[in-house]
Amino acid sequence: MLSLYESLVHSKGSLQEKEDCLEITFVGFPEKATVEGLLKAFEAQVYAGKPKQWWVFDFSGLSLLDWASFELLGKTLNSLASAKPPVNGMVFIVPENPFVRVWLEEELKEIEDIVLTAYFDSCKEARLFMNQVL
């Protein structure tokens, strides 16, 4: 696991469109502007393209996130899932940090009532699950 200093220096995120899913990855301790920018790009992809089978959120490299970013994440995903949900569901690869994990699951509770939501400890477990459902 990265030290807090390394987490701050190596903060980043990415958005990838794959054949069966849209995938967002957060690493380190991204600033709210980074989170907001990725969510806006994600939202644009959701509305621009055909519905994807899955939305995948890889938080395995996330060491920390400020509360405003957690709220923004929950609000954005709740809105998108209500308006234009993925075909099969959302997959979250959760970080090792139990503090971040609890906040994340708390913020995403409302989404679980809208669309299938699954939590995994690794990308490999998540991919196995998605392949089984497909």
Side-chain angles (χ1 to χ4, degrees):
M1 185 170 228
L2 297 174
S3 71
L4 181 57
Y5 174 75
E6 290 171 322
S7 296
L8 293 170
V9 172
H10 294 102
S11 297
K12 61 181 178 178
S14 67
L15 173 64
Q16 293 182 333
E17 183 175 7
K18 298 180 179 177
E19 187 176 321
D20 62 341
C21 67
L22 274 176
E23 183 175 323
I24 278 189
T25 303
F26 289 104
V27 176
F29 182 14
E31 297 176 350
K32 184 178 179 220
T34 301
V35 174
E36 192 170 35
L38 275 171
L39 288 174
K40 284 184 182 200
F42 182 82
E43 188 172 24
Q45 287 285 348
V46 167
Y47 284 111
K50 64 179 185 164
K52 293 292 183 183
Q53 298 293 321
W54 300 99
W55 293 348
V56 178
F57 300 88
D58 184 356
F59 297 117
S60 60
L62 186 68
S63 36
L64 201 54
L65 203 58
D66 62 61
W67 186 245
S69 294
F70 273 114
E71 288 179 326
L72 177 65
L73 179 68
K75 190 168 101 176
T76 303
L77 294 182
N78 193 2
S79 172
L80 282 172
S82 296
K84 196 169 179 180
V87 175
N88 290 334
M90 291 198 260
V91 171
F92 295 93
I93 300 140
V94 292
E96 288 181 22
N97 182 334
F99 183 66
V100 175
R101 201 175 190 146
V102 167
W103 271 19
L104 187 61
E105 290 175 3
E106 183 65 33
E107 198 55 45
L108 299 172
K109 271 188 179 163
E110 290 179 26
I111 295 170
E112 293 173 4
D113 295 335
I114 300 169
V115 66
L116 172 68
T117 306
Y119 300 91
F120 296 96
D121 291 323
S122 71
C123 293
K124 184 179 178 182
E125 286 178 301
R127 185 51 67 183
L128 284 171
F129 171 77
M130 290 188 298
N131 289 339
Q132 287 174 350
V133 172
L134 288 177

